[in-house]
Amino acid sequence: MEEKSKVTGDIKALSKPDLDLVALALDLMNTTNNEIILYTNDYSMENLCSELAIKFKTLFKNGIKNKIYFEVYCPYCKTTYKSEDLNKSCERCGLKLKRRFLKKEKL
Ligand SMILES: [Zn+2]
């Protein structure tokens, strides 16, 4: 993914959280059947999203702001954890925790 954004020249304009969000969107597109839409008001983000075929909507154009919530969980025993536990392993079975889309809320 980093390689692709270097091509578009957007990587310098994007922060680590932005890139994480794009990576997560790609991840979700591969792991769920839900439609994944990334909300952004950043031109570089939009550019990268089109490059990577991620659907996106611009925040300031329609005036809707959304906050997206994620849930950290164990893919094996389905125990849920706090978001700060993301890089840890499950206390029950030792598997690396994953993150999934929980809900989207209008602000
Ligand atoms: Zn577990």
Side-chain angles (χ1 to χ4, degrees), residues 74 76-79 81 90-95:
C74 169
Y76 183 71
C77 67
K78 314 294 181 206
T79 311
Y81 289 85
C90 178
E91 284 171 10
R92 289 193 196 173
C93 48
L95 275 183

Side-chain angles (χ1 to χ4, degrees), residues 39-54:
Y39 290 83
T40 181
N41 55 12
D42 186 308
Y43 182 72
S44 298
M45 280 283 270
E46 290 180 16
N47 225 359
L48 185 57
C49 285
S50 354
E51 197 77 23
L52 296 167
I54 301 170

Side-chain angles (χ1 to χ4, degrees), residues 25 29 35-39 49-50 52-57:
M29 283 163 69
E35 190 183 36
I36 305 303
I37 299 173
L38 201 148
Y39 290 83
C49 285
S50 354
L52 296 167
I54 301 170
K55 287 184 183 169
F56 63 88
K57 282 185 179 167

Side-chain angles (χ1 to χ4, degrees), residues 5 16 19 23 25 31 33 46 52 55 69 75 79 87 91 104:
S5 52
K16 180 78 167 58
L19 289 171
T31 53
N33 293 320
E46 290 180 16
L52 296 167
K55 287 184 183 169
Y69 293 90
T79 311
N87 293 315
E91 284 171 10
K104 193 172 72 188

Side-chain angles (χ1 to χ4, degrees), residues 2-3 5 15-17 21 23-24 27-28 30 34 39 41 51 60 73 90 96 102 105:
E2 293 210 2
E3 213 152 79
S5 52
S15 64
K16 180 78 167 58
L21 196 60
L24 179 64
D27 198 41
L28 287 170
N30 290 331
N34 295 332
Y39 290 83
N41 55 12
E51 197 77 23
F60 63 82
Y73 74 106
C90 178
K96 200 165 187 319
L102 185 60
E105 211 169 65

